[in-house]
Amino acid sequence: GLLAAAAIPVAAAGYLGFALAGAGLAASFPLALSLAGDAGRRGDGTGGEREIGFVTAIAYTGFLGGPPIVGGIAQVAGYDVAFGFAAFVAALILPAAVAARRSRRREEADAMIGR
């Protein structure tokens, strides 16, 4: 959606692109919090607070720093490059989540084996 908004110079494509991006990214923060809580959960069901705090801190950093960065890029290189950068950063969410999930599964398997 963000790439469509950046690449197609038509207002309707921009609206549709941002709507698609919003719909696609809406679940990413609750999902990240859920995964963080699961990653820190201990055997007795407690824990995960530190991991949730870490994810929240990263999210707020992006919330506060993202608009000035995108605005600065737009000032220097134009809106298409700025939104292309935002699309690139958003595209990193899926590989990062997959890598975190694989790492967690490896840790769980190692714990079961007793390494």
Side-chain angles (χ1 to χ4, degrees), residues 96-110:
V98 169
R101 170 81 71 185
R102 286 183 182 163
S103 175
R104 178 68 177 168
R105 286 188 179 157
R106 263 187 261 122
E107 287 176 8
E108 289 173 349
D110 289 347

Side-chain angles (χ1 to χ4, degrees), residues 8 14-15 24 37 48 51 53-54 60 65 67 71-74 76 84-86 95 100 105-106:
I8 303 171
Y15 288 126
E51 290 79 5
F54 180 71
Y60 277 116
I73 293 170
V76 172
F85 172 75
R105 286 188 179 157
R106 263 187 261 122

Side-chain angles (χ1 to χ4, degrees), residues 13-105:
Y15 288 126
L16 181 61
F18 282 116
L20 288 172
L25 293 172
S28 65
F29 184 66
L31 181 62
L33 286 179
S34 175
L35 290 172
D38 289 344
R41 188 159 295 130
R42 294 187 277 284
D44 63 356
T46 63
E49 300 87 8
R50 186 185 72 195
E51 290 79 5
I52 290 174
F54 180 71
V55 169
T56 303
I58 290 173
Y60 277 116
T61 301
F63 179 72
L64 293 173
I69 291 170
V70 171
I73 293 170
Q75 180 91 22
V76 172
Y79 284 118
D80 54 345
V81 175
F83 292 137
F85 172 75
F88 172 73
V89 171
L92 295 176
I93 293 171
L94 181 62
V98 169
R101 170 81 71 185
R102 286 183 182 163
S103 175
R104 178 68 177 168
R105 286 188 179 157

